[in-house]
Amino acid sequence: MRLSLLALLFASSGAFSWTTGSGTTGVAARPRPMETSALREIGARTYQQRCAACHGKHGDGRGWAAKSLPLRPRDFTAGVYKVRSTPTGSIPTDEDLFATISRGMHGTPMMSWRGLPEDERWSLVSQLKSFSVRFAQERPASSVAISREPEDESELLVEGARLWATVRCAACHGSGDGRGPSVALLKKDPSRQVNVRDLGRGEFLRGTSARDIYLTLRTGMDGTPMGSYADGLTPRETWALAAYVRSLIRPSTDR
């Protein structure tokens, strides 16, 4: 019965529209409400109603539905997040958390909650932060700067294809299908669940725009083998690799 209710909840959220990168960017339309005890109470109640089934009532990723999901829900107590605007190793900004709640995590069971009022989504931000001491002890680093996207698309694609080989993206992602030679080794690590992305499906956690991919390449995905290329690639090279990655997305009829 519980799983049936969860499936119904997913189905009512917009026909799984969050899975392919469609929908909101997650930017708030109105100013953030003041942090008050009333807002925190709303966050605690909303979390238990909307999130605890997967993420657990204590935020440890051990909700009653967790074992039935294809991917392990985030353990909020660790304070480690894949999708951020901040450099690798930093906690996310409040705006990052709000965006993820609003946008969902594309290609995962984490749906978009953009149907909730913005104040309620901000209350969830406060609740998520309460699960990890990192948010009390650390401040998020400044968001990664995003340079202007070059306009010479054809040249970018050529450069991006070269960089794909140079920085060895194929070791994990193969030809873009997520079947590189290193995948077998990654899956042998019992301490974490590794899910190398099939880029051709266009199910990127943040989204499929060149800007989304650029930011992921610059920030990395903490808690996964996907590191940051901020120190290894120039901004232009990052745009080039982002353009090439985007070119690997297969037409919807082929996914």
Side-chain angles (χ1 to χ4, degrees):
M1 175 64 74
R2 279 181 165 183
L3 288 178
S4 296
L5 290 174
L6 188 63
L8 179 62
L9 178 63
F10 285 172
S12 66
S13 69
F16 296 92
S17 62
W18 76 94
T19 62
T20 56
S22 60
T24 180
T25 60
V27 177
R30 297 186 303 277
R32 179 180 183 173
M34 291 184 60
E35 179 85 17
T36 63
S37 58
L39 189 74
R40 288 191 291 272
E41 289 175 6
I42 292 172
R45 182 171 63 251
T46 303
Y47 177 86
Q48 294 303 325
Q49 293 172 343
R50 308 282 188 174
C51 314
C54 297
H55 293 286
K57 63 180 181 179
H58 301 298
D60 55 8
R62 298 179 180 180
W64 58 261
K67 291 183 179 180
S68 300
L69 297 175
L71 297 172
R72 186 180 305 159
R74 176 66 35 190
D75 176 359
F76 297 127
T77 65
V80 177
Y81 289 81
K82 296 178 182 178
V83 181
R84 313 168 320 283
S85 66
T86 54
T88 184
S90 171
I91 56 175
T93 66
D94 289 4
E95 290 74 18
D96 291 335
L97 295 176
F98 180 90
T100 297
I101 292 168
S102 302
R103 183 181 54 222
M105 298 277 279
H106 306 138
T108 80
M110 172 58 191
M111 69 180 74
S112 163
W113 290 104
R114 62 180 179 268
L116 294 179
E118 284 196 359
D119 285 6
E120 202 164 341
R121 281 177 266 161
W122 280 118
S123 76
L124 283 173
V125 170
S126 297
Q127 180 64 21
L128 297 189
K129 291 170 62 178
S130 73
F131 289 126
S132 174
V133 297
R134 290 193 66 188
F135 290 97
Q137 298 175 348
E138 304 174 31
R139 293 180 61 84
S142 298
S143 294
V144 170
I146 301 178
S147 65
R148 184 175 180 178
E149 182 178 359
E151 297 180 356
D152 50 332
E153 183 176 353
S154 59
E155 293 182 19
L156 280 179
L157 285 173
V158 172
E159 187 175 356
R162 177 184 61 79
L163 289 166
W164 174 272
T166 301
V167 301
R168 303 190 70 247
C169 301
C172 293
H173 291 287
S175 62
D177 57 6
R179 298 177 181 178
S182 296
V183 172
L185 293 175
L186 292 173
K187 290 184 179 297
K188 289 183 178 179
D189 184 349
S191 66
R192 61 187 176 189
Q193 184 182 39
V194 176
N195 180 43
V196 178
R197 190 129 315 240
D198 175 356
L199 303 176
R201 294 183 63 85
E203 297 176 348
F204 299 172
L205 295 182
R206 192 191 305 271
T208 56
S209 72
R211 183 184 186 279
D212 291 331
I213 300 170
Y214 177 97
L215 191 53
T216 295
L217 291 171
R218 301 299 282 185
T219 62
M221 303 186 75
D222 287 0
T224 79
M226 175 64 192
S228 165
Y229 287 100
D231 294 332
L233 299 178
T234 66
R236 177 182 169 81
E237 288 174 332
T238 308
W239 280 117
L241 186 55
Y244 182 73
V245 168
R246 197 160 185 262
S247 75
L248 297 174
I249 300 175
R250 299 187 294 272
S252 57
T253 55
D254 296 334
R255 297 177 199 168

